[in-house]
Amino acid sequence: MNREHVYDRWGVPEVINATGTKTRIGGSRIRPEAVEAMADAAESFVRLSDLQAAASDRIAEVTGAEAGYVTNGAAGGMVLAAAACIAGDDLGTMSRLPDTTGVADEIVMPRTHRTGYDHAFRTAGASIIEVGTNDRYLGTGSRDVEPWEYADAIGEGTVAVGHVYKSYGTPPLAEVCAIAHEHDVPVIVDAAAEVPPAANLSWFTEQGADLVAFSGGKGIRGPQTTGILAGRQDLIRSVARQQLDMHAAEAVWDPPSRLVDADSLDGVPKQGIGRPLKVGKEELAGLLAALEAFLEEDEDARAAEWHDRAERLSAGVAAATGLSARVDTSGRSVAPEVVVTVEGDGSTADLVGRLRSEAPRVFVGADSIADGEFTLNPMCLTDEEADYVVERIVSLVDDVADDDAGTGGAGTGDDADGTVGGE
Ligand SMILES: *Cc1c(COP(=O)(O)O)cnc(C)c1O
């Protein structure tokens, strides 16, 4: 951790990432194979449609879907998925999105699947039609959405069903797909953070999903700005037509037919809604290289590495006075996460905040600080960094305990004994 970083040049502190594949601190460690492919791709030019067509073939093989596309993150893939479901092959609608005046634009989604990421659907012009209730979350009942509610909400205006996959979600994805397909409506799945395991690359398609969005920069460890969209050939064709740069002279426009099928169009599409979601040749090459390396990886070895690191983190912090820890394998994250409980009032946010304001910054998971907990995720740490994180937490928890006890100053660790949780 003492080596010079490029960030030093700008006076920006490095981050030690103990919270997993979070975009706001850089996502994941890109694979060396991807970096090498990106450097190689940077040396020369390629027609992007050719490279996307090759990527489409490979993604189809890997996912079992008819076709695929390399997108600008999973979120970019969701914009394109919605755009494809709204516009299909219609040149006029493609050119007008996100204006959907006069065309169907509704995506049916359970209330419990609404997240900040569905702004991506709305960016393409979709209106979200919510179904179900929040009873399970609020504890006012045991249910969220019923199969019949999907069927009830699907109508003339529906272009897709939206589904954010979590292993504990109900009803099962296969059932949702069956209902949607009975009504001739495609299902878009947000599976951004659902790999590994590699088997999940094809699982969603097997359940019947028509378009599936994965992050390229999370568990796959490709370039951070990439994503994968896998799905029906006609929908991926619409995606390509709306994403590729279309400042082409019609007389010589000859994109790969299996991806764009220019012959079936009355003319060259305009720059589409997806044009700002650019994916460069370097990112495309990097994602494809990362995908191969991801598929070749020994999954059992990686799972064991994450498990061992989680145990190491857990044992390390649990040894500190005032902290307890347990390893959570419930599936909220694809990796086991350590849930650390801070005993004593109000010190969790203080501790998490202090960790973040050090140099290097130490980021731990802060989603449940209001409950007196924070999380440690092994995915983006080396063992050396994990030890450093434990050392910083143990050291700071002593300081925080001292402050809470009104003793002030920097704690030595010894005088923290007996003061934590005492007030
Ligand atoms: C991370 C994430 C996204 C966004 O993925 P990007 O590749 O960063 O665009 C979307 N949905 C969910 C559920 C995610 O976890």
Side-chain angles (χ1 to χ4, degrees):
M1 255 163 286
N2 292 325
R3 85 182 169 86
E4 266 246 306
H5 286 274
V6 66
Y7 311 122
D8 295 338
R9 211 181 292 165
W10 318 107
V12 176
E14 192 197 346
V15 167
I16 306 299
N17 179 358
T19 181
T21 53
K22 298 290 191 293
T23 293
R24 58 195 171 275
I25 50 169
S28 62
R29 267 200 177 85
I30 187 170
R31 291 175 193 274
E33 293 90 342
V35 175
E36 203 178 306
M38 292 177 83
D40 209 339
E43 296 288 327
S44 55
F45 295 89
V46 68
R47 198 168 65 161
L48 267 297
S49 54
D50 286 338
L51 198 49
Q52 282 285 11
S56 177
D57 294 346
R58 186 62 185 132
I59 293 167
E61 279 170 9
V62 166
T63 61
E66 291 171 3
Y69 207 77
V70 179
T71 61
N72 186 213
M78 289 163 67
V79 177
L80 296 170
C85 291
I86 297 169
D89 291 324
D90 190 75
L91 278 176
T93 304
M94 284 190 230
S95 70
R96 282 185 291 272
L97 289 185
D99 180 352
T100 57
T101 308
V103 299
D105 69 2
E106 293 174 6
I107 297 185
V108 172
M109 280 183 83
R111 258 190 189 78
T112 48
H113 290 216
R114 295 297 309 269
T115 76
Y117 294 112
D118 60 46
H119 206 138
F121 291 155
R122 291 178 284 128
T123 298
S127 328
I128 294 179
I129 304 299
E130 292 183 349
V131 289
T133 59
N134 250 329
D135 286 341
R136 196 193 301 275
Y137 171 74
L138 292 170
T140 53
S142 60
R143 304 188 296 184
D144 40 55
V145 62
E146 302 298 320
W148 63 262
E149 292 182 278
Y150 284 97
D152 178 62
I154 295 172
E156 291 281 293
T158 312
V159 296
V161 166
H163 190 95
V164 182
Y165 183 78
K166 286 290 158 194
S167 55
Y168 44 81
T170 59
L173 177 59
E175 193 173 341
V176 174
C177 292
I179 298 164
H181 294 164
E182 268 167 36
H183 295 81
D184 277 329
V185 168
V187 177
I188 304 170
V189 177
D190 172 359
E194 300 306 314
V195 281
N200 276 2
L201 286 169
S202 55
W203 188 83
F204 301 95
T205 303
E206 286 157 18
Q207 304 310 300
D210 301 273
L211 284 169
V212 187
F214 299 101
S215 280
K218 290 182 176 170
I220 295 170
R221 292 175 51 206
Q224 175 46 202
T225 52
T226 58
I228 293 173
L229 197 58
R232 256 168 48 189
Q233 201 264 336
D234 62 318
L235 293 171
I236 294 294
R237 181 176 67 211
S238 177
V239 163
R241 289 169 170 180
Q242 298 187 76
Q243 194 270 345
L244 290 168
D245 183 78
M246 288 292 167
H247 272 165
E250 186 169 6
V252 289
W253 188 56
D254 182 29
S257 57
R258 67 191 190 286
L259 187 67
V260 178
D261 190 17
D263 293 345
S264 70
L265 286 169
D266 291 335
V268 182
K270 291 281 173 69
Q271 300 285 38
I273 186 97
R275 176 59 184 81
L277 304 172
K278 180 189 275 193
V279 180
K281 58 193 186 306
E282 296 82 4
E283 284 76 26
L284 261 149
L287 183 275
L288 290 172
L291 184 59
E292 296 310 323
F294 171 73
L295 291 168
E296 282 164 21
E297 213 168 51
D298 180 339
E299 294 213 294
D300 292 341
R302 184 186 49 225
E305 181 188 323
W306 287 352
H307 177 266
D308 289 351
R309 193 171 300 132
E311 291 292 347
R312 183 187 183 114
L313 287 160
S314 179
V317 295
T321 306
L323 295 182
S324 61
R326 66 184 163 85
V327 177
D328 173 14
T329 53
S330 66
R332 264 171 59 89
S333 162
V334 293
E337 280 197 322
V338 181
V339 181
V340 184
T341 307
V342 183
E343 291 149 19
D345 296 338
S347 47
T348 314
D350 194 13
L351 175 60
V352 169
R354 286 199 202 193
L355 285 163
R356 286 184 184 191
S357 46
E358 299 191 333
R361 299 184 188 280
V362 176
F363 266 70
V364 299
D367 291 349
S368 46
I369 46 175
D371 301 325
E373 290 177 351
F374 63 89
T375 53
L376 301 173
N377 186 308
M379 288 177 82
C380 300
L381 291 171
T382 62
D383 282 336
E384 187 196 8
E385 288 170 343
D387 290 343
Y388 177 78
V389 169
V390 168
E391 187 264 301
R392 293 315 305 145
I393 291 170
V394 171
S395 166
L396 285 176
V397 81
D398 286 345
D399 285 358
V400 172
D402 284 352
D403 289 357
D404 286 356
T407 54
T412 62
D414 293 324
D415 56 14
D417 270 329
T419 61
V420 175
E423 49 277 332

